[in-house]
């Protein structure tokens, strides 16, 4: 079977996720899972534990080459937040809804220069949508 390279935007996004992972580890996060896909929809790029705050963190990673279309986090619209929240709820369901703190963060990876990407962590980037009760 012939190897088919990933489309450039997919490969770029995966690269950004790896950079985000390295960055989060330096921030004392423990990466528990990458690319969690929930049955019935919902997805989380990185599921982490913020060791400093003993908090479960669901991270959306957005990678962009430039800010021409705004900050990477601007792409995390309500619909994307809904997908991440749905993935988070599925993850918590797998853990039998433990009594733990959790939050939603966004990591922006701006990579005009792949050698030195500019990485920004936005803690508590958005709340759990109202229709979810936890």
């Amino acid at each position: 079977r012939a190897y088919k390279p990933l489309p450039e935007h997919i490969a770029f996004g995966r690269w950004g996720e790896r950079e985000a992972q390295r960055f989060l580890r330096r921030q004392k996060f423990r990466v528990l899972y990458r690319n969690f896909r929930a049955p019935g929809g919902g997805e989380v790029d990185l599921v982490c534990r913020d060791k400093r705050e003993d908090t479960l963190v669901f991270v959306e990673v957005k990678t962009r080459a430039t800010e021409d279309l705004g900050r990477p986090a601007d792409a995390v619209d309500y619909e994307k937040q809904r997908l991440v929240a749905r993935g988070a709820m599925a993850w918590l369901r797998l853990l039998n809804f433990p009594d733990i703190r959790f939050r939603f963060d966004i990591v922006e990876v701006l990579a005009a220069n792949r050698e030195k990407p500019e990485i920004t962590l936005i803690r508590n980037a958005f709340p759990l949508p109202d229709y979810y009760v936890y």
Side-chain angles (χ1 to χ4, degrees):
R1 201 172 121 168
Y3 169 75
K4 192 171 173 223
L6 286 172
E8 178 54 32
H9 71 285
I10 303 283
F12 186 56
R14 292 230 176 118
W15 171 83
E17 284 181 8
R18 286 191 303 275
E19 291 297 313
Q21 217 174 328
R22 272 199 282 277
F23 171 82
L24 289 171
R25 283 197 183 109
R26 289 193 301 268
Q27 305 297 313
K28 300 288 186 251
F29 280 56
R30 181 154 168 248
V31 178
L32 305 173
Y33 204 91
R34 276 181 65 181
N35 296 310
F36 176 70
R37 301 283 175 255
E43 57 185 54
V44 180
D45 291 336
L46 300 170
V47 179
C48 303
R49 190 164 71 80
D50 181 344
K51 294 190 229 177
R52 289 180 180 155
E53 298 181 19
D54 198 27
T55 301
L56 189 63
V57 185
F58 300 100
V59 181
E60 176 64 18
V61 179
K62 281 293 168 207
T63 307
R64 295 286 182 270
T66 69
E67 287 186 78
D68 293 351
L69 301 172
R71 295 290 305 178
D74 296 343
V76 185
D77 59 11
Y78 184 73
E79 193 53 38
K80 187 65 185 171
Q81 292 175 20
R82 245 172 37 87
L83 275 176
V84 175
R86 186 185 295 168
M89 289 296 104
W91 181 273
L92 292 165
R93 201 167 25 256
L94 289 173
L95 300 177
N96 210 3
F97 296 109
D99 184 18
I100 55 170
R101 285 191 307 223
F102 65 90
R103 69 172 192 254
F104 299 97
D105 290 0
I106 296 173
V107 172
E108 295 182 317
V109 180
L110 262 176
N113 171 1
R114 276 209 190 191
E115 300 304 306
K116 263 189 78 92
E118 176 193 317
I119 302 176
T120 307
L121 170 63
I122 303 168
R123 293 173 187 267
N124 277 313
F126 57 91
L128 183 67
D130 290 339
Y131 50 83
Y132 286 113
V133 178
Y134 194 82

